[in-house]
């Protein structure tokens, strides 16, 4: 029997947890233990005899303890130990004897210690593949290092000449070490594919460096580099290059011929006149920039770009190339205009504000009660849904705002996100007369989150209305309260980020074999980078600016750093093309065919390849408003109008229709009434009724088809009875708008409680992936998601918060649970079930749904959410708080040779690995935020 003092001890196939520094009796045969993690326990030594007792140990983790020397017990493990982690200790020396005993080691981590030297005996560790010695006090390395022929990964402090003999080395990490230069004969490391030289104080690169032609990924960030050798263009295999945080003043020309380059990072440099990438001061890209045809240019953000315009740059290099070609043979045109979005709670005063701004009406102000008369005498026409108007704010400079008045009614929430885009100025309208501190979450905070999640770093003005109804002091107090609560929320994000990271790192150092839990260093780095992104890209909020709002908006718009696209230079032909589109007859049409567009393009002087299909946005918005106004009498009125239009139009050929009898009229009206009811309750409409609703806009059958397809693509409705890819053969197509579904479906609840649909006792295993949204749940996400999954499921039954369906014969349940206070955030979960041997069928059922959700969530790059796989064992036991494995596991392969994983919630109980890892990793990682810019590009 062996007693070990530990704070937390657990290992593969055996788990024992205890309170702080409790005495734990190991009640399993210690000789069977293969992995032992004693990290993070403040240990200075391990008990005598431990080494000889642990006869099967392969992996020993002693990181984050207080060891000053290598415990002698470790030597006893020599003939079977393959991994040893001693990082983050206080080692000042390694006993030569102990080192030479560890002949089977494959991985040795000695980083973050105080070692002044390494023993020459290191050279006898012939199996060593990975060696970490960074963050020590090493002045040099032993010559015997050149005997480590199997070494693949080396993380160290100084660039040792011995390494030059390791011609097979493929990955080398010498980041954060002050190398102060590289030897010219580094070219000897010809096999290197991945080279980490971040923060190595290199200053320059030797010419020999350019002979490392196998390099695929190269991290050269933070090295004080001013230029690259011309021969750098020999690195033709390079796909990823990080040159951030250097001193480049110009775009490094040797990169231009690198045809295979896919990712280049040049942020935080001193690039000024020319080009590129995040966080610089670039306004104009060089003429030949389009030559970089393989670079995915998704780090161009945060530059005051004016040429090509921001939107073109975000689309990628081919678009830049085309733009530059266009500009080369067209006169440039300057057209200052900016998208202005008015948002806010229902009846906050958005429409009125718009009228004040655009029609030169006296603005609402703090000035006094006499202004009240203005509101009551000439109230603005009530909001007709989302409206778009053009406002010439400054005629002398030709400055125009395209004003989007986003209706405040909840029913428009599902379509509002489509209008939140980059490069716009946001105005949040708050009714100060009705504002109370307790309304902050619904009238201010929810809007800030929505915009921030969709457009990180957006610029938002908060404007108070109804000031004339408030006392001076009340006004002041309310404005102060809004400021105070905004500041509190900002701190909350930072706090949540800190806590989440601390949890991750804690898990990283406490778990027996963290790899099984998906908490790899790479995942942590990625998560940390995303959090950093969220923190760095919070909304830019401007103070309430009600008096002289017009002047304020104009001056904000003129800020080049904030709205560089206002000053964009366009090829003259683009402007002519736009003007042509707004002229009759094309201005009246909903769609233009490609040929019509091409004809207009040619008229404007554009080449054929530059034409995109034009759509009539104003008309489309009118149509969306019809569907989302959620008003029975208005809908009925539209239908009756549509019907009468139909009989008028067809009157000559169909006299019966033109003279309907009164009873026919009544019958028809009743039928229409039923349709409206069915729509508002279940979201159901047949195609011919949709046609009546949209009568003024839809002229031909083809218009209707195109429009319905567009609505399906936008995720607003799906066709209930259309066989995939086949026509309907004459029967009526029915469309379902999930955002209208009112009925609750309880199937999934009973299913979760242990019985399946037919009430049989529940024996299968459950899989459940849970997404939780601690700050905001994107409005309309559940409705749009339920459309996106339609092509993957059959026999679905939709409820307001749940969808119960089948994939093949396997049941799936998608459920949304709205937040209950701060402690229980909004969650969206995807679940399925099957017996253990058939669990792959359940994975097969949910994986496409998970991927579909991940794709949809990419529309919200600033959204904070977490993904977890709930423990099947806990679910089966009906635990109210099941253990949550990190969602990263979904995109990782199952660990080899591991059959079961311990669920920390149930102590020693084991969960089959097939219930935690999918059979094949998902393609789109739920937690991957690495391509934040990519998402922008896709929008
Ligand atoms: N007294 C006073 N009334 C105002 C002010 N601003 C707006 N109103 C009135 O408040 C009511 C609602 O204003 P709207 O501009 O229609 O509000 P909205 O935000 O566009 O409403 P939705 O589009 O339905 O979300 C109207 O009757 C306005 O006349 C103001 O500053 N003072």
């Amino acid at each position: 029997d062996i007693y070990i003092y530990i704070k937390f001890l657990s290992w593969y196939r055996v788990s024992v947890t205890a309170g702080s520094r409790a005495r734990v009796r190991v009640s399993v045969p210690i000789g069977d233990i293969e992995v032992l993690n004693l990290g993070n326990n403040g240990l200075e030594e391990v008990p005598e005899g431990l080494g000889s007792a642990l006869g099967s140990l392969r992996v020993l983790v002693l990181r984050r303890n207080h060891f000053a020397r290598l415990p002698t017990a470790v030597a006893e493990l020599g003939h079977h130990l393959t991994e040893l982690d001693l990082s983050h200790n206080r080692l000042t020396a390694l006993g030569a004897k102990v080192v030479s005993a560890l002949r089977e080691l494959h991985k040795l981590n000695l980083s973050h210690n105080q070692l002044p030297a390494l023993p020459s005996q290191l050279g006898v560790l012939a199996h060593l593949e990975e060696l970490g010695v960074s963050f020590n006090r090493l002045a040099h390395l032993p010559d015997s290092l050149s005997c480590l022929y199997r070494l693949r990964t080396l993380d160290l402090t100084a660039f040792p000449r011995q390494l030059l003999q390791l011609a097979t080395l493929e990955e080398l990490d010498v980041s954060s070490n002050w190398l102060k230069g590289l030897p010219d004969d580094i070219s000897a490391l010809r096999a290197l594919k991945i080279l980490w030289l971040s923060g190595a104080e290199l200053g320059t690169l030797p010419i020999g460096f350019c002979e490392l032609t196998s390099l695929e990924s190269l991290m050269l960030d933070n090295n004080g580099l001013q230029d690259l050798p011309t021969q750098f263009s020999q690195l033709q295999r390079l796909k990823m290059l990080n040159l951030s945080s250097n001193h480049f003043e110009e775009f490094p020309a040797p990169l231009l011929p690198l045809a295979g380059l896919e990712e280049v990072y040049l942020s935080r440099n001193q690039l000024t006149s020319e080009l590129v990438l995040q966080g610089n001061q670039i306004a104009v890209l060089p003429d030949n920039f389009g030559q970089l045809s393989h670079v995915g240019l998704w780090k161009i953000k945060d530059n005051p770009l004016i040429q090509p315009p921001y939107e073109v740059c975000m689309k990628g290099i081919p678009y830049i190339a085309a733009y530059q070609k266009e500009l080369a043979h067209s006169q440039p045109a300057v057209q200052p205009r900016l998208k202005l979005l008015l948002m806010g709670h229902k009846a906050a005063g958005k429409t009125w504000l718009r009228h004040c701004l655009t029609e030169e009406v006296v603005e609402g102000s703090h000035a006094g009660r006499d202004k009240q008369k203005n509101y009551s005498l000439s109230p603005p026409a009530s909001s007709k849904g989302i409206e778009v108007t053009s406002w010439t704010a400054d005629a002398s400079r030709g400055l125009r705002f395209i004003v989007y008045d986003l209706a405040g009614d909840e029913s428009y929430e599902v379509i509002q996100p489509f209008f939140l885009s980059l490069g716009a100025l946001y105005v949040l309208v708050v009714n100060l007369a009705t504002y109370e501190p307790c309304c902050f979450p619904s009238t201010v905070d929810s809007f800030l989150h929505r915009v921030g999640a969709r457009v990180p770093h957006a610029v938002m003005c908060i404007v108070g209305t109804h000031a004339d109804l408030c006392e001076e002091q009340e006004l002041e107090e309310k404005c102060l309260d809004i400021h105070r609560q905004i500041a509190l929320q900002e701190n909350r994000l930072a706090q949540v980020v800190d806590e989440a990271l601390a949890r991750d790192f804690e898990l990283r150092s406490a778990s027996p074999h963290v790899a099984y839990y998906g908490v790899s260093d790479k995942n942590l780095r990625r998560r940390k980078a995303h959090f950093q992104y969220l923190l760095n890209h919070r909304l830019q909020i401007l103070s309430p600016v009600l008096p002289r709002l017009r002047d304020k908006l104009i001056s904000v718009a003129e800020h080049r750093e904030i709205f560089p696209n206002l000053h964009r230079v366009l090829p003259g032909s683009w402007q002519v093309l736009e003007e042509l589109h707004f002229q009759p007859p094309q201005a009246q049409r909903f769609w233009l065919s490609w040929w019509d567009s091409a004809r207009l393009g040619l008229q404007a002087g554009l080449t054929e390849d530059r034409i995109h299909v034009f759509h009539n946005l104003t008309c489309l918005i009118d149509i969306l408003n019809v569907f989302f106004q959620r008003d029975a009498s208005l809908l009925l009125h539209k239908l009756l109008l549509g019907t009468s239009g139909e009989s008028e139009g067809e009157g000559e050929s169909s006299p019966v229709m033109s003279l309907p009898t009164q009873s026919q009229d009544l019958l028809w009206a009743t039928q229409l009434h039923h349709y409206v009811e069915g729509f508002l309750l279940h979201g159901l409409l047949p195609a011919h009724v949709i046609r009546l609703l949209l009568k003024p806009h839809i002229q031909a059958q083809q218009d209707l088809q195109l429009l319905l397809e567009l609505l399906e693509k936008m995720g607003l409705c799906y066709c209930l009875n259309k066989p995939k890819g086949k026509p309907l053969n004459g029967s009526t197509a029915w469309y379902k708008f999930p955002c209208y579904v009112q009925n609750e479906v309880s199937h999934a609840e009973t299913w979760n409680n242990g019985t399946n649909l037919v009430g049989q006792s529940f024996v299968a295993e459950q899989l459940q992936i849970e997404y939780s949204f601690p700050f905001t749940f994107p409005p309309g996400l559940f409705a749009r998601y339920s459309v996106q999954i339609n092509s993957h499921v059959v026999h679905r039954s939709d409820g307001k918060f749940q969808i119960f369906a089948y994939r093949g014969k396997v049941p799936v349940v998608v459920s949304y649970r709205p937040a209950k206070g701060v402690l229980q955030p909004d969650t969206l979960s995807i679940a399925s079930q099957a017996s253990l041997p058939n669990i792959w069928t359940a994975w097969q059922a949910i994986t496409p749904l998970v991927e579909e959700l991940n794709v949809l969530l990419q529309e919200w790059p600033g959204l904070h959410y977490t993904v977890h796989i709930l423990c099947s064992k806990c679910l089966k036991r009906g635990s109210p708080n099941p253990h949550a494995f990190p969602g990263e596991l979904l995109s990782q392969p199952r660990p080899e040779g591991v059959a079961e994983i311990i669920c920390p919630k149930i102590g020693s109980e084991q969960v089959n690995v097939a219930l935690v890892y999918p059979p094949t990793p998902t393609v789109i990682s739920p937690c991957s935020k690495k391509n934040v810019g990519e998402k922008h590009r896709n929008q």
Side-chain angles (χ1 to χ4, degrees):
D1 284 345
I2 292 171
Y3 293 88
I4 306 170
Y5 291 97
I6 47 171
K7 188 161 62 180
F8 179 86
L9 168 67
S10 59
W11 56 85
Y12 163 45
R13 296 206 293 145
V14 184
S15 168
V16 182
T17 52
S20 179
R21 291 205 164 261
R23 203 158 212 247
V24 178
R25 186 170 178 200
V26 180
S27 56
V28 292
I30 198 159
D32 288 353
I33 296 172
E34 293 177 13
V35 177
L36 178 60
N37 183 350
L38 291 172
N40 226 5
N41 280 298
L43 299 178
E44 287 168 15
E45 53 188 35
V46 289
E48 280 300 317
L50 181 71
S52 48
L54 292 163
S56 306
L57 201 70
R58 288 184 292 102
V59 178
L60 178 59
V61 179
L62 295 173
R63 71 199 313 262
R64 291 195 189 275
N65 281 300
H66 299 159
F67 293 105
R69 59 190 179 85
L70 215 50
T72 41
V74 171
E76 298 158 9
L77 303 166
H79 57 286
H80 42 82
L81 200 66
T82 57
E83 288 185 31
L84 176 61
D85 185 351
L86 269 159
S87 57
H88 296 272
N89 272 289
R90 296 170 184 171
L91 299 177
T92 49
L94 298 174
K97 232 171 149 186
V98 185
V99 170
S100 49
L102 299 169
R103 285 169 186 271
E104 295 303 315
L105 271 192
H106 289 233
K107 284 187 193 176
L108 175 59
N109 192 351
L110 296 167
S111 56
H112 293 270
N113 277 292
Q114 296 155 22
L115 295 169
L118 294 175
S120 59
Q121 283 76 2
L122 212 58
V124 304
L125 308 186
H127 296 292
L128 211 56
E129 290 173 8
E130 293 182 22
L131 175 61
V133 287
S134 58
F135 297 99
N136 274 290
R137 294 172 184 169
L138 302 176
H140 60 270
L141 293 174
D143 286 350
S144 59
L145 207 71
S146 54
C147 304
L148 301 178
Y149 294 115
R150 300 214 179 163
L151 208 60
R152 280 188 295 104
T153 306
L154 178 61
D155 178 6
L156 45 60
T157 308
F159 200 92
R161 300 207 48 82
Q162 299 90 321
L163 275 189
L164 299 175
Q165 293 169 35
L166 301 180
T168 54
L169 200 64
E170 286 182 6
E171 179 174 353
L172 176 62
D173 187 349
V174 273
S175 300
S176 307
N177 292 297
W178 300 325
L179 302 179
K180 307 260 183 209
L182 295 171
D184 195 37
D185 44 356
I186 190 168
S187 52
L189 298 173
R190 332 178 251 292
L192 271 186
K193 287 186 181 159
I194 306 170
L195 180 52
W196 297 78
L197 285 164
S198 314
E201 303 223 331
L202 296 179
T204 53
L205 293 179
I207 304 290
F209 187 89
C210 306
E211 286 169 47
L212 299 174
T213 48
S214 303
L215 276 179
E216 289 172 10
S217 295
L218 177 56
M219 267 50 71
L220 276 171
D221 49 309
N222 206 358
N223 270 302
L225 297 175
Q226 289 181 340
D227 52 29
L228 297 174
T230 338
Q231 294 85 337
F232 196 88
S233 50
Q234 290 168 15
L235 303 178
Q236 285 292 335
R237 298 217 179 139
L238 213 53
K239 287 189 192 141
M240 194 280 209
L241 175 63
N242 188 348
L243 291 172
S244 304
S245 304
N246 279 297
H247 303 321
F248 289 99
E249 287 178 7
E250 284 183 3
F251 183 70
L255 300 188
L256 290 170
L258 293 180
L261 209 53
E262 289 167 2
E263 291 173 34
V264 183
Y265 297 83
L266 264 164
S267 48
R268 293 177 298 282
N269 271 285
Q270 291 156 10
L271 305 172
T272 47
S273 60
E274 291 189 330
L275 186 71
V276 177
L277 306 177
Q278 199 167 359
N280 280 294
Q281 289 300 314
I282 301 150
V284 179
L285 297 188
D287 288 347
N288 56 357
F289 186 75
Q291 285 177 17
L292 281 171
S293 53
H294 291 275
V295 175
L297 186 67
W298 46 273
K299 290 280 179 182
I300 188 76
K301 285 187 297 171
D302 303 334
N303 278 294
L305 285 164
I306 52 173
Q307 199 181 325
Y310 191 77
E311 295 88 336
V312 175
C313 294
M314 290 306 288
K315 284 187 151 183
I317 309 264
Y319 288 83
I320 294 174
Y323 171 91
Q324 292 181 327
K325 197 170 133 203
E326 199 69 60
L327 204 59
H329 63 254
S330 172
Q331 286 295 313
V334 186
Q335 207 187 40
R337 93 180 155 191
L338 192 69
K339 182 170 169 182
L340 180 73
L341 280 114
L342 301 178
M343 314 182 66
H345 216 246
K346 194 174 157 108
K350 299 179 284 298
T351 313
W352 177 261
L353 188 71
R354 173 163 59 92
H355 282 277
C356 290
L357 285 171
T358 58
E359 290 164 18
E360 310 258 329
V361 178
V362 181
E363 283 182 29
S365 72
H366 305 272
R369 297 195 163 279
D370 50 330
K371 295 270 165 58
Q372 211 174 325
K373 276 187 249 142
N374 289 331
Y375 301 104
S376 42
L377 284 177
S378 55
S382 69
S383 221
K384 302 181 205 90
I386 296 173
E387 288 178 87
V388 188
T389 44
S390 171
W391 164 40
T392 305
D394 186 340
S396 61
R397 276 178 288 176
L399 171 62
R400 209 148 51 92
F401 284 99
I402 310 294
V403 187
Y404 283 67
D405 178 352
L406 299 189
D409 195 282
E410 271 178 20
S411 55
Y412 295 94
E413 280 185 349
V414 65
I415 49 172
Q416 279 165 348
F418 290 115
F419 300 96
L420 311 185
S421 55
L422 286 166
L425 173 55
Y426 293 82
V427 174
L428 173 59
V429 183
V430 184
N431 180 340
L432 290 176
T434 55
Y435 178 82
E436 293 293 336
C438 63
C439 313
F440 176 82
S442 60
T443 52
V444 182
D445 200 36
S446 65
F447 291 97
L448 300 185
H449 278 304
R450 280 175 212 184
V451 176
R454 184 90 180 180
V455 188
H457 227 32
V459 182
M460 169 84 91
C461 284
I462 303 184
V463 177
T465 59
H466 296 73
D468 52 302
L469 303 180
C470 304
E471 298 297 339
E472 200 73 35
Q473 192 191 345
E474 179 192 353
L475 263 187
E476 205 167 293
E477 280 170 10
K478 289 184 171 175
C479 290
L480 268 177
D481 183 73
I482 294 177
H483 277 291
R484 193 181 54 80
Q485 297 214 47
I486 289 175
L488 280 178
Q489 286 303 318
E490 294 235 319
N491 290 342
R492 199 182 139 219
L493 175 65
Q495 199 183 330
V496 167
V497 164
D498 279 350
E499 283 169 10
L501 282 177
R503 261 197 318 271
D504 288 347
F505 283 99
E506 180 65 16
L507 186 65
R508 173 81 183 89
S509 51
S511 287
H513 206 308
V514 283
Y516 303 156
Y517 295 98
V519 194
S520 63
D521 281 343
K522 193 169 145 207
N523 283 338
L524 284 183
R525 269 203 300 272
R526 197 181 274 179
R527 216 177 288 170
K528 192 170 168 189
H530 177 60
F531 280 140
Q532 207 54 55
Y533 173 83
L534 290 183
L535 285 174
N536 294 346
H537 291 80
R538 283 186 272 189
L539 281 184
Q540 306 170 66
I541 300 173
L542 309 175
S543 328
V545 283
L546 194 59
R548 297 184 303 282
L549 177 63
R550 187 183 299 121
D551 298 343
K552 183 76 183 179
L553 291 179
I554 294 174
S555 81
V556 172
E558 291 282 356
H559 259 277
R560 274 184 182 240
E561 310 85 73
I562 311 180
F563 295 110
N565 49 345
L566 185 73
H567 301 272
R568 61 190 169 182
V569 181
L570 300 174
S573 45
W574 289 23
Q575 198 178 359
V576 177
L577 180 67
E578 188 182 82
E579 282 160 13
L580 282 173
H581 274 114
F582 287 110
Q583 281 173 14
Q586 45 272 5
Q588 275 95 44
R589 292 171 50 194
F590 192 29
W591 312 97
L592 282 191
S593 70
W594 193 89
W595 291 111
D596 284 338
S597 278
R599 183 178 49 77
L600 292 180
L602 289 176
Q603 233 174 301
L606 276 155
T607 50
E608 235 177 61
D609 55 327
R610 304 289 302 125
I611 312 288
H612 295 281
V613 177
F614 168 78
H615 58 88
N616 190 335
L617 182 65
T618 335
C619 184
L620 179 64
I621 290 176
D622 284 348
I623 289 175
L624 293 177
N625 285 335
V626 172
F627 285 114
F628 294 97
Q629 59 202 355
R630 212 181 278 252
D631 181 320
S633 53
L634 269 174
L635 285 167
L636 199 60
H637 178 70
K638 283 217 153 55
L639 284 176
L640 288 168
L641 265 185
T643 311
S644 67
E646 198 134 277
S647 54
E648 274 162 28
E650 291 160 21
E652 283 160 51
S653 56
S654 166
V656 185
M657 279 297 282
S658 63
L659 291 170
T661 65
Q662 235 181 346
S663 61
Q664 268 176 327
D665 262 357
L666 205 64
L667 193 70
W668 183 227
T670 321
Q671 234 179 52
L672 291 181
H673 192 78
H674 282 313
Y675 283 130
V676 169
E677 268 186 353
F679 179 51
L680 293 184
L681 205 60
H682 307 294
L684 276 174
L685 275 181
H688 65 274
V689 176
I690 296 181
R691 185 175 179 185
L692 289 181
L693 266 182
L694 305 179
K695 193 68 212 292
H697 302 287
I698 301 288
Q699 271 122 36
Q701 185 63 25
Q702 195 203 13
D703 286 351
L704 183 66
Q705 260 165 24
L706 281 171
L707 183 79
L708 287 168
E709 269 175 43
L710 180 65
L711 293 180
E712 281 187 83
K713 285 234 159 72
M714 290 170 83
L716 300 174
C717 66
Y718 63 87
C719 183
L720 273 182
N721 52 342
K722 188 169 61 183
K724 266 180 217 148
K726 287 186 203 148
L728 265 169
N729 283 343
S731 61
T732 306
W734 279 81
Y735 286 83
K736 178 123 184 154
F737 291 73
C739 58
Y740 277 99
V741 174
Q742 299 295 327
N743 58 309
E744 314 262 343
V745 175
S746 53
H747 296 318
E749 264 171 39
T750 47
W751 187 71
N752 276 339
N753 288 342
T755 42
N756 67 12
L757 262 185
V758 276
Q760 286 159 355
S761 151
F762 176 71
V763 285
E765 306 290 341
Q766 293 186 61
L767 293 183
Q768 189 167 336
I769 314 297
E770 187 173 83
Y771 288 66
S772 53
F773 303 82
F775 289 102
T776 187
F777 183 76
L781 177 69
F782 185 65
R784 284 188 56 209
Y785 181 52
S786 45
V787 172
Q788 304 299 359
I789 62 170
N790 192 50
S791 60
H792 300 287
V793 298
V794 290
H795 306 311
R796 61 187 287 173
S797 145
D798 288 20
K800 193 170 177 188
F801 297 129
Q802 272 165 345
I803 302 157
F804 191 82
Y806 284 87
R807 231 177 104 67
K809 288 183 179 160
V810 186
V812 281
V813 183
V814 176
S815 348
Y816 166 56
R817 193 180 62 195
K820 283 194 197 127
V822 185
L823 291 178
Q824 202 197 78
D826 291 83
T827 58
L828 202 161
S829 57
I830 304 161
S832 183
Q833 63 176 60
S835 63
L836 188 56
N838 289 323
I839 201 69
W840 59 273
T841 59
W843 279 114
Q844 241 175 24
I846 59 172
T847 305
L849 306 194
V850 167
E851 288 182 344
E852 204 68 70
L853 183 56
N854 297 339
V855 170
L856 198 54
L857 282 171
Q858 293 187 1
E859 286 185 19
W860 283 274
L863 182 70
H864 174 48
Y865 63 92
T866 55
V867 189
H868 288 105
I869 305 148
L870 300 190
C871 167
S872 305
K873 281 258 162 101
C874 296
L875 288 175
K876 207 168 183 177
R877 282 188 303 128
S879 160
N881 189 14
H883 175 66
F885 291 100
E888 276 97 345
L889 296 185
L890 293 171
S891 53
Q892 285 174 12
R894 281 185 188 165
E896 271 175 37
V898 177
E900 280 163 335
I901 292 176
I902 287 166
C903 164
K905 281 260 160 73
I906 358 181
S908 59
E909 222 177 319
Q910 296 153 15
V911 189
N912 192 301
V913 73
L915 295 170
V916 183
Y917 284 83
T920 43
T922 53
V923 182
I924 303 137
S925 164
C927 308
S928 162
K929 289 277 185 175
K930 71 179 162 122
N931 283 347
V932 168
E934 183 92 27
K935 277 165 235 159
H936 278 281
R937 212 171 41 184
N938 293 338
Q939 277 172 37

